[in-house]
């Protein structure tokens, strides 16, 4: 009654298979751990560099093998007349950005209605010609005048006025009386321009930008000299409601009837809420390309010769300046530090995620 139960042969077989399976699982786990050994885990410097070089070389071989297999699949599909295999899109911060409800849609009627009634509609509909007043902060620097002179060559119908001791509110009133449409204030710190203030006249808004990575025309290698023609304006990646408003503010600075004869292009490219400014002129060049004749054909003297062929090649030449803008605040109305209402202000807690963008 109280004796031990004898083990059957079936039970012993099951136990043996379980122990064998657990041993095999342990060996696989140890092999995976060996494979996952990283160079940073090795303390010996020579061994660490050796393992790192091997891993790098193996990664390069794998990448090359994948590229060859992809090219072979594309070639086979073209020969058989089949559909090409889907091209893999790499994961970037831009295409994995956080969902934003304010991203503009092409059929957003509310946005179009707002654009027709905003402060820039008269300029963008060519009912009014842009007229820009450029000034500085009270304490100007050595590079400030050079930057302003290049801004005057970039923006048509722009006029420079010395700041002196005038308050910015008085300058806004003066600009209203003289029919200016925008004011640009170049702020400098430690002999370097570090901020731009763009004020729409007469009803605003006021945008405050941080300015960085300024490169003047003289410091750009093989730079070109721009003409006085009105430039084309290119705005990229201003996708949200805030971005659309900033894009229209920038657009209101330039005339809406570009002169293509001057071959000038001004670009404001938004990427990860940094606005990159570039100024180019495109050039058409004729180049002689030597093209060999077929083996059977010869010239009058009986000698085969290369026949020159002319091709028109287009390229871009940078004119400068080059700088980067970062939006700090957008204020409703003209400049008012005390009673002004802010539409948007950048705060430190907004930078908690790398995949959150506002423009």
């Amino acid at each position: 009654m109280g004796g031990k139960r004898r083990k059957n042969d079936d039970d012993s077989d099951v136990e043996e298979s379980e122990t064998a399976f657990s041993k095999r699982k342990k060996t696989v786990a140890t092999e995976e751990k060996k494979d996952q050994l990283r160079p940073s885990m090795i303390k010996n410097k020579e061994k660490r560099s050796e393992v790192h070089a091997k891993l790098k070389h193996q990664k390069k071989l794998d990448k090359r093998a994948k590229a060859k297999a992809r090219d072979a699949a594309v070639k086979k599909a073209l020969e058989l007349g089949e559909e090409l295999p889907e091209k893999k899109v790499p994961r970037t911060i831009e295409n994995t950005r956080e969902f934003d409800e304010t991203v503009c849609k092409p059929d957003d009627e509310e946005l179009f209605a707002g654009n027709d009634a905003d402060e820039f509609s008269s300029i963008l509909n060519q009912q009014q010609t842009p007229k820009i007043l450029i000034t500085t902060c009270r304490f100007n620097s050595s590079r400030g005048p050079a930057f302003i002179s290049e801004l005057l060559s970039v923006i048509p119908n722009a006029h420079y006025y010395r700041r002196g001791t005038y308050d910015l509110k008085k300058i806004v009133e003066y600009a209203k009386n003289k029919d200016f449409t925008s004011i640009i204030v170049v702020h400098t710190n430690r002999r370097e321009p570090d901020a731009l203030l763009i004020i729409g006249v007469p009803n605003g808004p006021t945008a405050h930008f941080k300015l960085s990575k300024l490169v003047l025309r003289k410091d750009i290698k093989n730079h070109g000299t721009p003409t006085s023609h009105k430039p084309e304006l290119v705005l990229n990646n201003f996708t949200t409601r805030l971005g659309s408003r900033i894009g229209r503010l920038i657009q209101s600075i330039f005339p809406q009837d570009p002169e293509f004869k001057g071959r000038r292009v001004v670009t404001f490219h938004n990427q990860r809420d940094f606005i990159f400014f570039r100024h180019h002129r495109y050039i058409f060049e004729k180049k002689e390309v030597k093209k060999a004749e077929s083996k059977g054909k010869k010239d009058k003297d009986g000698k085969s010769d290369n026949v020159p062929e002319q091709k028109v090649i287009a390229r871009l030449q940078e004119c400068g300046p080059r700088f980067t803008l970062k939006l700090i605040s957008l204020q409703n109305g003209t400049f008012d530090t005390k009673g002004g209402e802010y539409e948007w202000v950048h705060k430190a807690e907004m930078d908690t995620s790398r995949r959150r963008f506002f423009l």
Side-chain angles (χ1 to χ4, degrees):
M1 293 290 292
K4 290 182 179 180
R5 188 173 66 85
R6 288 184 179 181
K7 290 184 178 179
N8 296 331
D9 294 336
D10 295 334
D11 295 337
S12 62
D13 292 337
V14 169
E15 285 181 0
E16 285 176 4
S17 63
E18 286 178 356
T19 53
F21 179 75
S22 61
K23 284 180 181 179
R24 199 180 302 115
K25 199 173 182 181
K26 285 181 182 178
T27 54
V28 169
T30 52
E31 287 176 1
E32 285 179 357
K33 283 183 180 179
K34 286 180 181 179
D35 293 339
Q36 291 176 357
L37 187 66
R38 297 177 181 177
S40 59
M41 299 163 66
I42 302 171
K43 293 183 178 180
N44 189 308
K45 185 178 179 181
E46 292 183 359
K47 186 69 176 175
R48 183 169 66 244
S49 60
E50 184 183 346
V51 171
H52 174 70
K54 284 182 180 178
L55 288 173
K56 194 174 181 182
H57 180 64
Q58 186 61 39
K59 193 175 180 181
K60 191 176 181 181
L61 291 177
D62 294 343
K63 188 177 179 181
R64 196 177 295 170
K66 284 181 181 178
K68 282 186 177 179
R70 188 168 59 249
D71 292 342
V74 170
K75 190 176 180 182
K76 188 177 179 181
L78 288 172
E79 288 176 353
L80 297 175
E82 298 176 352
E83 290 185 3
L84 296 176
E86 290 185 5
K87 194 173 182 180
K88 292 185 178 180
V89 179
R91 284 173 58 86
T92 60
I93 293 179
E94 283 83 4
N95 60 23
T96 57
R97 64 181 290 178
E98 291 183 4
F99 175 73
D100 191 355
E101 294 179 351
T102 63
V103 172
C104 302
K105 297 178 181 178
D107 56 346
D108 194 344
E109 295 180 0
E110 185 182 348
L111 176 66
F112 297 145
N115 289 344
D116 293 337
D118 66 359
E119 303 93 333
F120 320 114
S121 57
S122 61
I123 299 172
L124 301 185
N125 294 332
Q126 300 185 19
Q127 298 171 3
Q128 191 177 2
T129 305
K131 187 180 177 184
I132 315 302
L133 187 150
I134 300 179
T135 187
T136 61
C137 61
R138 288 183 175 176
F139 304 101
N140 202 2
S141 68
S142 56
R143 289 190 82 193
F147 176 52
I148 288 170
S149 66
E150 295 191 7
L151 277 182
L152 291 170
S153 66
V154 170
I155 304 171
N157 202 17
H159 308 273
Y160 170 64
Y161 288 83
R162 286 190 178 183
R163 175 70 179 269
T165 58
Y166 291 103
D167 291 332
L168 200 53
K169 289 183 180 180
K170 291 184 178 179
I171 295 174
V172 171
E173 290 297 325
Y174 175 80
K176 287 180 182 178
N177 296 331
K178 294 294 182 179
D179 294 330
F180 283 96
T181 58
S182 295
I183 301 172
I184 298 177
V185 182
V186 180
H187 185 272
T188 55
N189 185 22
R190 295 181 180 179
R191 298 184 178 180
E192 188 72 22
D194 68 335
L196 274 185
L197 196 68
I198 302 178
I199 306 170
V201 179
N203 300 318
T206 302
H208 182 202
F209 296 95
K210 178 186 174 184
L211 190 146
S212 60
K213 297 182 180 179
L214 173 63
V215 182
L216 297 176
R217 184 178 300 148
K218 63 178 183 178
D219 300 323
I220 296 173
K221 190 177 180 182
N222 298 327
H223 65 83
T225 304
T227 61
S228 58
H229 295 84
K230 297 175 185 177
E232 299 175 58
L233 182 65
V234 179
L235 299 172
N236 286 335
N237 294 338
F238 293 90
T239 54
T240 63
R241 291 287 183 96
L242 177 65
S244 173
R245 191 150 171 76
I246 293 298
R248 287 175 69 83
L249 173 65
I250 294 170
Q251 201 175 351
S252 67
I253 297 172
F254 295 87
Q256 304 305 305
D257 51 342
E259 296 173 346
F260 299 103
K261 190 178 180 181
R263 308 194 307 277
R264 292 178 61 198
V265 184
V266 172
T267 306
F268 288 87
H269 176 75
N270 173 44
Q271 188 170 2
R272 303 179 190 180
D273 286 350
F274 288 94
I275 303 171
F276 299 94
F277 173 86
R278 296 293 183 270
H279 180 206
H280 293 92
R281 63 190 294 263
Y282 45 91
I283 300 172
F284 298 106
E285 293 180 337
K286 287 185 179 179
K287 279 195 174 182
E288 288 188 354
V289 181
K290 291 184 178 180
K291 186 178 180 182
E293 282 190 343
S294 58
K295 295 180 180 179
K297 293 183 179 180
K298 292 182 180 180
D299 58 359
K300 294 178 181 178
D301 299 332
K303 296 178 182 178
S304 61
D305 195 9
N306 291 338
V307 179
E309 186 177 299
Q310 285 193 346
K311 280 191 176 181
V312 178
I313 297 172
R315 67 180 180 89
L316 288 174
Q317 183 184 32
E318 191 168 359
C319 298
R322 180 195 304 170
F323 56 86
T324 305
L325 298 174
K326 181 77 185 289
L327 182 65
I328 296 175
S329 67
L330 181 67
Q331 185 180 353
N332 195 9
T334 55
F335 180 78
D336 188 2
T337 52
K338 292 183 179 179
E341 294 182 0
Y342 285 90
E343 298 182 28
W344 186 86
V345 179
H346 179 264
K347 296 179 182 177
E349 54 264 25
M350 294 178 176
D351 298 332
T352 53
S353 174
R354 293 178 64 200
R355 288 177 168 80
R356 185 186 303 150
F357 307 122
F358 301 98
L359 298 182

